[in-house]
Amino acid sequence: MTEWNGFVFSALTPDPPPFAASFDLPLDRLADWPLGDLVVGHRLEKTIQCNWKVFWENYNECLHCPGVHPRLAQLVPIYGRALLERRDDPRWQDHAHDDDPKYGGGLRRGSESWTMDGQPVGATFPGLSAEDRKVGHLYLTAYPSVFLVAHLDYVRVVRLLPLGPERTEMSIEFLVLPETLADPQSDISKAVEFTNIVMSEDADVCALNQRGLHSLAHANGVLMPEEYAIRQFQDWVRAELTRP
Ligand SMILES: [Fe+2]
């Protein structure tokens, strides 16, 4: 059992890997966010009709973003180009110094957070650097259970729980400053609504993918170079299955 910034993590194996090694980024990458001081502003639950691995495969590519997430693709222009980040562009060198979010990532100009109007839900976190504020979203992932997305005004925590071979429960919590929760001028619902749209779109496409796996024509999939992160996920699954 490990307590970290108000989160409690428990490992079901007697010999778990080091806690920090469970995450894809160094934990101090989130040091500027006051995680331990935040409170739950809202909670959403969804059951997705897919295997948990289908969810994570979808999570690891943005080829689907322009078609599946029209609103998100507008807010995060590089997603609208089916890319997760600058380095995913085979021609990134052509725009290596271009600050346009369509090449560099981050939110469209004039938007600050993942909300319906792009504006913060309430007070923004003090202590964030200019870079933290500019990025718009910072993902921290720990397979197979959880990912966090830190914005400048709220942090989204998404937990996955397999309910069966083709059903996965997703629990989403919106963490905000206590003063945001107490302030009647704050509007957490615009973050909840935005997230609900995006996650419902993902849930639908994951369910479709799951159905497709039952197709008589399906033998196996083929990964394209753009799907390198899916390959990494599948390698992780294989390694975990053979870990002593
Ligand atoms: Fe998606």
Side-chain angles (χ1 to χ4, degrees), residues 58 61 64-65 68-69 72 198 202 205:
N58 173 71
E61 51 85 5
H64 71 276
C65 292
V68 172
H69 301 305
L72 176 61
V198 174
D202 277 324
V205 81

Side-chain angles (χ1 to χ4, degrees), residues 9-137:
F9 290 81
S10 65
L12 300 181
T13 170
D15 185 23
F19 175 67
S22 300
F23 294 86
D24 63 336
L25 290 179
L27 292 175
D28 63 6
R29 186 65 189 79
L30 279 168
D32 292 344
W33 274 262
L35 286 175
D37 299 332
L38 303 184
V39 293
V40 178
H42 193 83
R43 185 175 283 121
L44 264 183
E45 298 219 332
K46 265 183 198 308
T47 299
I48 315 176
Q49 304 300 325
C50 74
N51 184 271
W52 63 276
K53 297 187 291 299
V54 169
F55 174 88
W56 284 112
E57 289 187 347
N58 173 71
Y59 176 84
N60 275 301
E61 51 85 5
C62 210
L63 292 169
H64 71 276
C65 292
V68 172
H69 301 305
R71 185 178 276 271
L72 176 61
Q74 278 184 11
L75 180 69
V76 185
I78 202 168
Y79 291 178
R81 298 176 60 224
L83 307 170
L84 278 170
E85 51 183 299
R86 186 194 286 271
R87 65 175 181 168
D88 291 343
D89 182 353
R91 297 174 61 92
W92 66 271
Q93 283 175 310
D94 294 351
H95 307 282
H97 304 293
D98 194 327
D99 218 20
D100 187 323
K102 139 171 111 168
Y103 300 114
L107 309 189
R108 71 178 168 222
R109 301 215 196 283
S111 291
E112 293 188 281
S113 187
W114 284 37
T115 57
M116 294 303 285
D117 62 0
Q119 301 309 305
V121 297
T124 60
F125 300 129
L128 297 187
S129 68
E131 184 59 23
D132 292 334
R133 299 175 68 90
K134 189 178 154 206
V135 168
H137 47 255

